Amino acid sequence: MGGYTFSELGSIFVMQGFSGLSLFCVYLLMALGLAIIFGQMGVINMAHGEFLTMGAYTTYFMSKLAVDHFPALVGIYFPFAIILGFLIAFGMGYLLEVLLIRHLYKRPLDTLLATWGVSLVLQQVFRSAFGAREVSATLPAWLLGSVKPTETIDIPLNGLFMMGLTLVLSLLVFIFLFRSRWGLKVRATTQNRVMSGGVGINTKKVDRMTFAVGCGIAGVAGAVFTTIASTGPTTGSLYIVDTFLVVVFGGAASLVGTVASAFSIAQAQSVLEFFLTSSIAKVLTLLTVITVIMARPEGLFTIRVRK
Amino acid sequence: MLEVKDLQVSYGQSEVIGNLAFEVGRNETLAIMGRNGMGKTTLMKALMGILRSRKGSVKLDGKDLTKMESYQRVAAGLAFVPQGRMIFSALTVQENIETGLETADSKTIPDDIFALFPVLHEMRKRKGGNLSGGQQQQLAIARALVSEPKVLILDEPTEGIQPSVIKDIARVLNEIRKTREISILVSEQVLSFTLAIADRLLVIDKGRFIHENRRDQVDAEKIKQYLSV
Ligand SMILES: Nc1ncnc2c1ncn2[C@@H]1O[C@H](COP(=O)(O)OP(=O)(O)OP(=O)(O)O)[C@@H](O)[C@H]1O
Ligand SMILES: [Mg+2]
């Protein structure tokens, strides 16, 4: 590998690996929501990326509000932006489910088209409302700077923060799904909708909640996203294809699979990107994913029980 | 308790249940017997709101269930143990039972359930899908019971189950009927099991009742004839 010394190579791997971790966080947060929604109601939400964009714009406006009117709050607005990002995406998700999605259950192709339409509409709404130019949130001072564990390694603080948040959020999702009554209902409905109704679960209500929560998680992903990149009308849609890849690769039935697959795809892309061009990196990743899926159509991880 | 009038159910153009009427009394066990394909499952599913009925009404304790969805019927007091058990195979035994608690006041499994089915307590951490058929049947009954139903509906609970476990299930059904004072509606093909639990039995053929008997006056030979052929 031309011209790099051994220790330089090591540092490159660590730093590219780290930037891969930031990508991993975005993928994971997007994929969690997408996978839960897909598992619960078989709906592929093409507009999922736009909920990320909503969260990102929310954060941007919170920061603008703080900078313009309440300078004292610049250091602390961020946690509130995350909460508001969640609430807005949650609310819009809820509305979308009530107005559109629930009329299209059992028609997967129609939901695909309809949500794709919603995605385009939302992008145009963003463009008209906030302009086509990319905007960046003003980050609080404690998110800037980096840590230098060695001479050649440089790890940005915002990346570390993002990772921490992703970890917390994923844990919350796990707890929600596997320790709460709502999670139990989601998992039951995911497995057998008719029987879930037969044991007394209001599956439509569970659908609405699940869809809204999945969108809310994307909203949080958007808030977190502003710490590593700027926001434009199409920000979310740039990630939607990769996120689908993550969900399919990991196996829609398994959250552990989603985590593992988000990690490997993000790492592969980011490390390969440094040595090759980014499109070749994409091609290589895609080829690997396709090969694996041909060998294991249900994804990397599946739950093994008698059917 | 459960009052069915004029019930008619079809798949597309083909009518499977035609104008059925019957009643399950308070604390009574009623068995519906019939050969394969005579409409037992269709009837049970229509009672649970899983299939829409074309005509007729279903009332529970005077309350009209006809327009309700499944989960509302469970809330009203029906509970369902379907043919093929339909337990949630990727959920643990404990979680499977907990899904039935949706309409119950307390969200923890009452102890008497595990007293009825000790084997479920031993296996409560295992995935439901890894239980044997007989254990799954007990699980499906437990899941239905925790919703504290007024009427328990079971669709062929003995299908594919060995005789000793069938006896167990009969014992459990008799016990819960006594202690919980509930009504039971069961569809069956095994006459000995039916005679062990039912107060009254109806024979269904092509979606219509062709024979009715109280247990003490049962003509076993005649019913066997209906069930064979
Ligand atoms: N989804 C369906 N679409 C069309 N016809 C159906 C459907 N389900 C069942 N049937 C038909 O309805 C009739 C009654 O079926 P049903 O399952 O109610 O019988 P059953 O008495 O429960 O039989 P078994 O003892 O085998 O369980 C059968 O002739 C069957 O072919
Ligand atoms: Mg049947």
Side-chain angles (χ1 to χ4, degrees):
Chain A
M1 301 197 168
Y4 298 110
T5 70
F6 193 70
S7 84
E8 274 173 340
L9 262 185
S11 303
I12 288 168
F13 267 110
V14 171
M15 285 192 290
Q16 281 308 112
F18 191 82
S19 94
L21 280 181
S22 305
L23 195 61
F24 160 68
C25 294
V26 178
Y27 282 172
L28 181 58
L29 290 180
M30 286 267 288
L32 279 180
L34 208 61
I36 296 174
I37 291 172
F38 181 72
Q40 158 84 15
M41 39 202 154
V43 168
I44 295 179
N45 181 17
M46 291 293 283
H48 203 68
E50 275 55 53
F51 289 91
L52 177 138
T53 315
M54 268 177 223
Y57 273 118
T58 307
T59 311
Y60 165 70
F61 279 104
M62 289 283 280
S63 90
K64 202 162 144 52
L65 193 72
V67 171
D68 292 352
H69 300 285
F70 311 98
L73 300 182
V74 172
I76 57 161
Y77 80 87
F78 203 79
F80 297 101
I82 293 178
I83 294 171
L84 194 64
F86 177 85
L87 290 179
I88 288 181
F90 180 94
M92 293 296 288
Y94 194 92
L95 266 182
L96 182 64
E97 207 279 343
V98 172
L99 296 180
L100 184 71
I101 308 282
R102 72 178 163 133
H103 303 293
L104 298 175
Y105 287 133
K106 296 183 192 150
R107 289 153 63 182
L109 279 179
D110 294 355
T111 41
L112 203 69
L113 273 180
T115 53
W116 187 51
V118 169
S119 151
L120 294 180
V121 169
L122 284 176
Q123 284 176 36
Q124 190 52 46
V125 168
F126 296 145
R127 200 171 287 120
S128 312
F130 313 130
R133 217 169 45 82
E134 300 219 328
V135 294
S136 308
T138 311
L139 294 183
W142 49 270
L143 270 180
L144 304 173
S146 58
V147 283
K148 270 185 187 268
T150 73
E151 195 63 17
T152 41
I153 297 181
D154 202 37
I155 292 182
L157 276 180
N158 55 3
L160 278 179
F161 173 73
M162 174 155 179
M163 246 172 279
L165 251 175
T166 307
L167 195 75
V168 171
L169 206 72
S170 312
L171 273 178
L172 278 180
V173 171
F174 270 82
I175 291 172
F176 235 38
L177 268 178
F178 291 97
R179 293 281 176 272
S180 77
R181 176 123 200 116
W182 172 76
L184 182 69
K185 288 192 267 184
V186 170
R187 287 180 294 140
T189 314
T190 301
Q191 268 195 42
N192 189 335
R193 174 170 293 269
V194 171
M195 197 56 231
S196 297
V199 298
I201 296 172
N202 182 350
T203 54
K204 287 178 184 160
K205 196 165 140 199
V206 179
D207 285 344
R208 270 198 297 284
M209 270 302 285
T210 306
F211 194 83
V213 167
C215 292
I217 298 172
V220 175
V224 173
F225 178 79
T226 58
T227 64
I228 58 162
S230 52
T231 307
T234 56
T235 293
S237 60
L238 296 180
Y239 287 92
I240 191 78
V241 174
D242 286 345
T243 309
F244 280 134
L245 220 59
V246 167
V247 173
V248 176
F249 187 53
S254 154
L255 280 191
V256 180
T258 306
V259 175
S261 126
F263 183 81
S264 38
I265 290 182
Q267 287 302 334
Q269 285 209 7
S270 153
V271 172
L272 286 176
E273 229 167 68
F274 188 83
F275 294 104
L276 311 161
T277 67
S278 81
S279 43
I280 298 283
K282 268 244 153 76
V283 170
L284 282 181
T285 325
L286 248 175
L287 278 180
T288 319
V289 170
I290 290 173
T291 319
V292 170
I293 289 174
M294 274 161 67
R296 301 183 55 103
E298 301 202 327
L300 275 183
F301 291 74
T302 46
I303 303 167
R304 248 174 246 117
V305 285
R306 286 196 242 159
K307 281 271 144 79
Chain B
M1 197 70 187
L2 185 70
E3 226 180 307
V4 178
K5 271 196 197 129
D6 247 359
L7 194 72
Q8 194 186 9
V9 189
S10 325
Y11 296 103
Q13 288 303 310
S14 72
E15 180 186 287
V16 175
I17 300 291
N19 294 329
L20 274 194
F22 63 96
E23 202 170 319
V24 188
R26 192 172 298 274
N27 206 9
E28 180 190 35
T29 299
L30 173 65
I32 294 181
M33 307 208 60
R35 290 176 289 134
N36 294 130
M38 289 301 140
K40 301 182 297 293
T41 299
T42 306
L43 171 62
M44 302 294 187
K45 284 184 174 171
L47 293 180
M48 282 310 297
I50 294 170
L51 289 173
R52 288 269 147 236
S53 53
R54 178 161 294 183
K55 237 179 68 191
S57 70
V58 179
K59 276 190 188 151
L60 178 63
D61 228 359
K63 193 168 174 185
D64 190 5
L65 307 185
T66 316
K67 297 228 154 44
M68 289 187 182
E69 300 208 39
S70 300
Y71 78 93
Q72 294 165 317
R73 296 186 192 215
V74 175
L78 293 186
F80 186 39
V81 179
Q83 185 170 16
R85 313 182 269 269
M86 305 287 166
I87 53 133
F88 302 109
S89 54
L91 267 52
T92 64
V93 168
Q94 175 159 359
E95 288 172 334
N96 262 285
I97 302 176
E98 283 168 355
T99 58
L101 290 169
E102 190 64 11
T103 54
D105 298 327
S106 152
K107 298 293 181 222
T108 50
I109 303 171
D111 293 336
D112 58 342
I113 290 294
F114 287 130
L116 279 172
F117 305 103
V119 65
L120 296 182
H121 189 260
E122 272 163 52
M123 307 210 157
R124 65 190 182 284
K125 298 273 186 281
R126 289 222 214 149
K127 290 262 187 288
N130 296 332
L131 264 53
S132 77
Q135 291 160 348
Q136 289 188 358
Q137 188 65 56
Q138 302 185 32
L139 177 55
I141 296 175
R143 178 180 66 181
L145 274 184
V146 290
S147 70
E148 290 161 17
K150 294 175 184 155
V151 177
L152 178 64
I153 298 178
L154 304 101
D155 193 2
E156 292 203 44
T158 62
E159 194 188 31
I161 288 175
Q162 73 187 54
S164 71
V165 181
I166 292 184
K167 277 205 188 106
D168 264 359
I169 293 175
R171 183 183 48 76
V172 166
L173 289 180
N174 280 328
E175 190 174 330
I176 54 186
R177 183 176 65 142
K178 227 187 288 158
T179 54
R180 300 181 170 231
E181 300 194 342
I182 61 176
S183 312
I184 298 176
L185 173 65
V186 57
S187 83
E188 257 312 327
Q189 301 197 49
V190 179
L191 186 57
S192 57
F193 174 78
T194 311
L195 292 178
I197 58 167
D199 302 310
R200 189 160 59 100
L201 49 86
L202 292 165
V203 178
I204 189 173
D205 190 275
K206 299 202 180 76
R208 281 160 216 280
F209 293 136
I210 53 167
H211 182 77
E212 174 172 1
N213 239 167
R214 301 203 53 80
R215 173 174 46 189
D216 38 32
Q217 326 161 333
V218 147
D219 180 351
E221 281 314 306
K222 194 162 179 196
I223 290 176
K224 271 190 190 141
Q225 225 163 34
Y226 285 128
L227 292 179
S228 59
V229 190

